[in-house]
Amino acid sequence: PAELGIYFLSEAYLNIISVGSSFGINGGIEKRISGGKDSNTVFSTGLSLLVVSTTVISVITFILISIFDVFQSDTIPIYLAIAVLLRAFSLALEHALRGKLRVGETASLRLLRQLIWLSVSILAYETLSIKSEALILGLIFGNLVMVLFCIYKLDISLVMPKMSTAKSLWNYSRYD
């Protein structure tokens, strides 16, 4: 029961950070790519915006979590920092895949992420002595697999972000 409490608190933290740091930019990535804009520029610019906002919010909350010792653990905040960045990256890639009008592929990737999460969590819980961290590690590995498969499925390369694209994404994100 204590492990589930820690996991649900971690999941709530991740969801709050994801909503607070994305500012609707993922929807902008999807919309601009599906609208025919240069997918490399849109994705690179959106990803750079997400990395900056996620990092700033993560650092602030990481400090607060450490001060108040919310999880009563030294490793969980580190795992959460990794999970936040992987989740932001996986969501951006998932929206880019949808923007390329390949929505059907995102369903199988989401299922794969959940299966990896469950498998790694059970394996870590049963074999390692990190009972409370097992579910979080499963979440990290599930998002990592999603990131790797999205990269494999997408034909997008990172390019220099553009200010005009950032403004376009920001303007769309206000309404998303």
Side-chain angles (χ1 to χ4, degrees):
E3 291 86 5
L4 281 177
I6 290 173
Y7 173 72
F8 289 136
L9 184 60
S10 303
E11 186 71 27
Y13 166 79
L14 288 172
N15 287 328
I16 289 169
I17 295 296
S18 293
V19 169
S21 63
S22 73
F23 298 111
I25 292 179
N26 288 326
I29 290 172
E30 181 177 339
K31 178 67 174 165
R32 296 300 182 231
I33 290 175
S34 68
K37 302 284 185 191
D38 178 32
S39 58
N40 294 332
T41 304
V42 170
F43 180 74
S44 297
T45 305
L47 186 63
S48 64
L49 292 171
L50 286 170
V51 166
V52 168
S53 63
T54 302
T55 303
V56 167
I57 291 176
S58 294
V59 166
I60 292 168
T61 55
F62 185 77
I63 291 169
L64 291 173
I65 285 173
S66 298
I67 289 171
F68 295 112
D69 198 22
V70 173
F71 294 105
Q72 299 174 350
S73 167
D74 293 334
T75 56
I76 290 178
I78 295 166
Y79 291 154
L80 286 177
I82 295 167
V84 164
L85 291 173
L86 278 174
R87 176 171 274 177
F89 198 46
S90 73
L91 287 174
L93 284 164
E94 182 181 349
H95 282 275
L97 193 59
R98 281 193 216 155
K100 292 260 192 182
L101 305 177
R102 295 167 65 185
V103 177
E105 293 180 27
T106 62
S108 59
L109 288 173
R110 283 180 164 213
L111 177 63
L112 179 64
R113 177 178 55 197
Q114 294 301 99
L115 290 174
I116 296 293
W117 167 75
L118 184 63
S119 303
V120 170
S121 296
I122 290 171
L123 184 67
Y125 188 84
E126 293 297 327
T127 59
L128 303 174
S129 63
I130 52 169
K131 304 294 184 191
S132 59
E133 290 97 344
L135 292 168
I136 301 168
L137 283 176
L139 190 66
I140 288 171
F141 279 98
N143 279 317
L144 179 63
V145 168
M146 179 123 178
V147 164
L148 295 175
F149 270 95
C150 280
I151 289 171
Y152 173 74
K153 297 252 182 211
L154 281 171
D155 185 27
I156 289 182
S157 57
L158 295 177
V159 297
M160 203 60 180
K162 291 186 178 177
M163 186 57 80
S164 61
T165 306
K167 288 179 183 177
S168 173
L169 288 172
W170 181 256
N171 287 334
Y172 181 81
S173 70
R174 291 186 302 184
Y175 304 108
D176 190 23

